Amino acid sequence: MTQVSREIRLAARPVGEPKPSDFELAEVEVGEPGPGEVLVKNTWMSVDPYMRGRMTDRPSYVPPFQIGQPMQGGAIGEVVASNAPELATGTSVQHMLGWREYAILPADGAIPVDTSAGPPQAFLGVLGMPGLTAYVGLLDKAELRDGDVVFVSGAAGAVGSLVGQIAKVRGHTVVGSAGSPGKVAFLKDELGFDAAFDYHDGSVYDQLRAAAPDGIDVYFDNVGGEHLEAAIAAMNPFGRIALCGAISQYNATEAPPGIRNLALAVGKRLTLRGFIVSDDAARMPDFLRDVGGWLREGKIHYRETVVEGIERAPEAFIGLLDGRNTGKMLVKLA
Ligand SMILES: NC(=O)c1ccc[n+]([C@@H]2O[C@H](COP(=O)([O-])OP(=O)(O)OC[C@H]3O[C@@H](n4cnc5c(N)ncnc54)[C@H](OP(=O)(O)O)[C@@H]3O)[C@@H](O)[C@H]2O)c1
């Protein structure tokens, strides 16, 4: 029997915020896996902010999506047919052919997931790429040191919520910013942040200063723009900034204004360091040991916002950029 799979293709390159018409739902017939390949039935797929960059045709660290072609991204699924001896049917795997219900791929591109460590979809969030981003960004790039006061933006999201919790496990004072009163309550009441504020409520700098009157030593930047300026202004000497993302600018249609107070980095002897998590895959075992352990011990918590059905994947992605998620935004396919 021929298997039919639905997939989401890029229909048009978005200008500003992506719209439903920038995506197209299509049906394809899936063949049999060739030698060394497996057929995977996807059960979960990830939508991530970096995909907005891939919708634009410009050089970057990952190539752009092509119009008329299926989009790609992290996914979890089950091997339903195997033409590779090393990967049996029934194995839960993680791979990069999301945005579709079924995928045929080389067996070495399908990584088995250890479902004793967490539910499969956790490997798209707290135990996956966003989790590793939080871990290496905070510990390696920002070089977290004893006594540091930590500020993280996008704090209620997949990366930010783990950044704050790792810092709390390590005994730090943590301040977070997020985009709604509900998210601020989540940070303070469920995740144990020392302080949190809604960046819509007034100047980021004024709210950060009120939350951290003695200044901050580490800023984990998921947002850029006003948040980055505020953090530079509030930084103590020798502070460190991990430049993880700048989501406030991903839908910009014009060059955003520069960071007006960057010169303060000289006198304060600050370090600002950009990074891309895929460069740090070698840290995966340490990350799984530490974060997996804290998860088992109940020292960290995570939330998921789940949208069901491949046809709603564009809605999930648009919603992610619009702040409709708390914790990891996921699409459930099965
Ligand atoms: N460098 C790397 O290797 C790497 C890897 C993974 C992710 N990242 C970056 O890390 C950041 C977080 O990613 P994630 O996967 O954890 O996403 P996420 O935080 O779970 O979701 C994105 C969040 O961004 C916030 N946001 C949207 N527009 C904003 C704006 N104008 N100002 C402030 N916040 C805004 C929204 O929350 P609010 O309701 O709080 O606004 C939204 O929920 C992104 O910048 C992403 O590009 C980088």
Side-chain angles (χ1 to χ4, degrees):
M1 193 190 73
T2 310
Q3 181 64 56
V4 172
S5 173
R6 294 183 298 163
E7 62 186 28
I8 302 288
R9 298 177 181 167
L10 181 65
R13 298 203 181 280
V15 178
E17 287 176 24
K19 313 180 286 301
S21 59
D22 297 326
F23 304 84
E24 176 193 8
L25 181 67
E27 278 192 3
V28 289
E29 287 186 356
V30 181
E32 299 291 325
E37 291 182 336
V38 290
L39 171 64
V40 177
K41 180 179 197 287
N42 287 339
T43 48
W44 294 89
M45 59 162 269
S46 180
V47 288
D48 295 280
Y50 78 88
M51 293 168 177
R52 177 64 186 86
R54 294 193 72 183
M55 297 176 86
T56 300
D57 190 8
R58 65 163 175 244
S60 180
Y61 63 96
V62 271
F65 296 131
Q66 296 302 313
I67 290 173
Q69 295 296 313
M71 296 182 44
Q72 297 179 3
I76 297 285
E78 187 185 319
V79 176
V80 290
S82 175
N83 202 348
E86 66 274 28
L87 215 47
T89 55
T91 311
S92 276
V93 292
Q94 178 178 13
H95 63 90
M96 286 306 291
L97 289 182
W99 294 90
R100 68 201 77 193
E101 292 175 313
Y102 287 85
I104 288 184
L105 69 156
D108 63 5
I111 317 294
V113 293
D114 173 11
T115 47
S116 69
Q121 73 275 17
F123 290 87
L124 298 175
V126 67
L127 292 175
M129 183 277 283
L132 181 64
T133 304
Y135 184 84
V136 299
L138 182 66
L139 301 183
D140 301 352
K141 312 304 171 186
E143 297 178 6
L144 187 68
R145 295 173 194 160
D146 287 351
D148 282 345
V149 174
V150 176
F151 172 47
V152 54
S153 55
V159 174
S161 60
L162 190 57
V163 169
Q165 291 185 86
I166 294 173
K168 283 310 302 174
V169 169
R170 297 273 299 253
H172 294 265
T173 298
V174 178
V175 178
S177 70
S180 73
K183 291 184 182 187
V184 168
F186 167 64
L187 297 176
K188 291 201 282 201
D189 302 341
E190 287 187 41
L191 302 189
F193 281 45
D194 299 280
F197 60 87
D198 181 343
Y199 61 85
H200 297 107
D201 282 351
S203 140
V204 175
Y205 177 73
D206 289 347
Q207 296 195 79
L208 178 56
R209 264 291 174 205
D214 296 330
I216 59 173
D217 305 290
V218 161
Y219 172 47
F220 193 106
D221 189 21
N222 287 317
V223 167
E226 186 193 354
H227 272 85
L228 180 52
E229 279 188 358
I232 289 172
M235 278 256 144
N236 292 327
F238 300 100
R240 284 139 278 126
I241 299 180
L243 298 171
C244 176
I247 199 164
S248 68
Q249 302 174 0
Y250 292 175
N251 288 325
T253 51
E254 291 173 15
I259 300 302
R260 293 168 298 176
N261 59 356
L262 189 58
L264 287 177
V266 178
K268 294 189 182 198
R269 287 85 109 201
L270 305 183
T271 302
L272 288 77
R273 189 185 294 176
F275 72 103
I276 292 296
V277 65
S278 49
D279 296 334
D280 292 284
R283 288 283 268 155
M284 193 54 115
D286 299 333
F287 156 71
L288 287 174
R289 181 199 60 221
D290 289 346
V291 173
W294 294 328
L295 207 53
R296 269 195 306 279
E297 292 163 21
K299 291 182 176 163
I300 59 171
H301 304 272
Y302 67 96
R303 277 238 205 139
E304 295 165 344
T305 301
V306 177
V307 170
E308 292 205 26
I310 186 80
E311 68 283 1
R312 293 183 63 204
E315 174 191 328
F317 177 68
I318 292 167
L320 170 80
L321 297 177
D322 205 26
R324 271 175 258 157
N325 59 307
T326 300
K328 176 67 191 144
M329 182 68 106
L330 291 165
V331 182
K332 188 170 190 224
L333 299 178

